[in-house]
Amino acid sequence: MARPTSSTSRPRRSRDDWIDIAIDFGSRVGFDQLAIEPLAAFAGATKGSLYWHFADRAALIDAVLDRWEQRATREVIDALDPTAPDAAAALLARTVGHAHDATELRMLLASADARVGPVVARVHSTRLAFLERILTGRGLTPADASARARLVYAAYLGGLLLNDDPDALRETMLRALEA
């Protein structure tokens, strides 16, 4: 991640390093509270180091949102076949109760932010469509698949907010996904 520089003991950070640091920091304080000065202090770096890679806070937030969407949605969906018999179990194994839960929860809580909200809405839509594909592949009508996908996804979101036991939540969701 960080490489020591020759002139100081401060590490040199790449754009990707800063995105990861911002995700870590945002997961702790909330993405609506993500600001340059506190982030630089958290990283033990100067603001200039961060500004070397990002023009402003908006550019950093956009990069953080893109990384979260990629990791928490696109990569998961791309790795799964919605028509596979174990698609539901594989999906839940890759999502429920993993280390990204704090990031996921903080991102959802920040969805009122003008930059965060549209990305969160797009993530919801993408995830719901994927759940619907799993369920229609199991023989449910599109209307029934949509209704069940919304209930299962609502259980997932509620489980995050309630800090439910991941194993119990995964089992409940798996039962609901079984057609």
Side-chain angles (χ1 to χ4, degrees):
M1 179 165 132
R3 299 173 309 273
T5 65
S6 58
S7 60
T8 71
S9 62
R10 285 191 178 175
R12 185 175 298 159
R13 291 179 174 84
S14 69
R15 184 177 195 281
D16 285 339
D17 292 338
W18 274 115
I19 295 169
D20 289 339
I21 293 165
I23 288 171
D24 182 23
F25 186 68
S27 296
R28 295 168 190 251
V29 302
F31 290 95
D32 53 343
Q33 300 298 312
L34 191 59
I36 300 297
E37 286 191 34
L39 177 60
F42 174 77
T46 64
K47 294 185 300 183
S49 172
L50 195 143
Y51 282 122
W52 180 260
H53 300 287
F54 301 96
D56 54 22
R57 177 185 183 272
L60 174 65
I61 295 293
D62 288 345
V64 165
L65 290 167
D66 185 60
R67 174 77 53 86
W68 170 69
E69 183 177 15
Q70 177 65 33
R71 285 182 179 168
T73 301
R74 293 189 304 247
E75 285 179 6
V76 171
I77 289 172
D78 289 349
L80 299 173
D81 174 5
T83 63
D86 67 341
L91 174 65
L92 298 178
R94 290 185 60 115
T95 56
V96 177
H98 282 53
H100 76 278
D101 283 356
T103 302
E104 182 90 357
L105 179 58
R106 289 294 196 164
M107 199 64 75
L108 297 173
L109 293 174
S111 63
D113 182 280
R115 295 198 94 72
V116 177
V119 177
V120 170
R122 186 171 58 240
V123 164
H124 289 329
S125 178
T126 301
R127 290 172 175 178
L128 283 167
F130 186 71
L131 287 171
E132 288 172 17
R133 284 196 312 260
I134 290 173
L135 293 166
T136 56
R138 293 181 171 193
L140 269 67
T141 66
D144 288 343
S146 178
R148 191 172 303 183
R150 292 183 77 69
L151 286 171
V152 168
Y153 193 58
Y156 167 70
L157 296 175
L160 284 174
L161 290 170
L162 296 173
N163 197 25
D164 276 355
D165 171 52
D167 293 331
L169 178 60
R170 196 173 14 259
E171 182 60 32
T172 298
M173 292 173 66
L174 188 57
R175 275 193 241 131
L177 282 168
E178 294 301 323

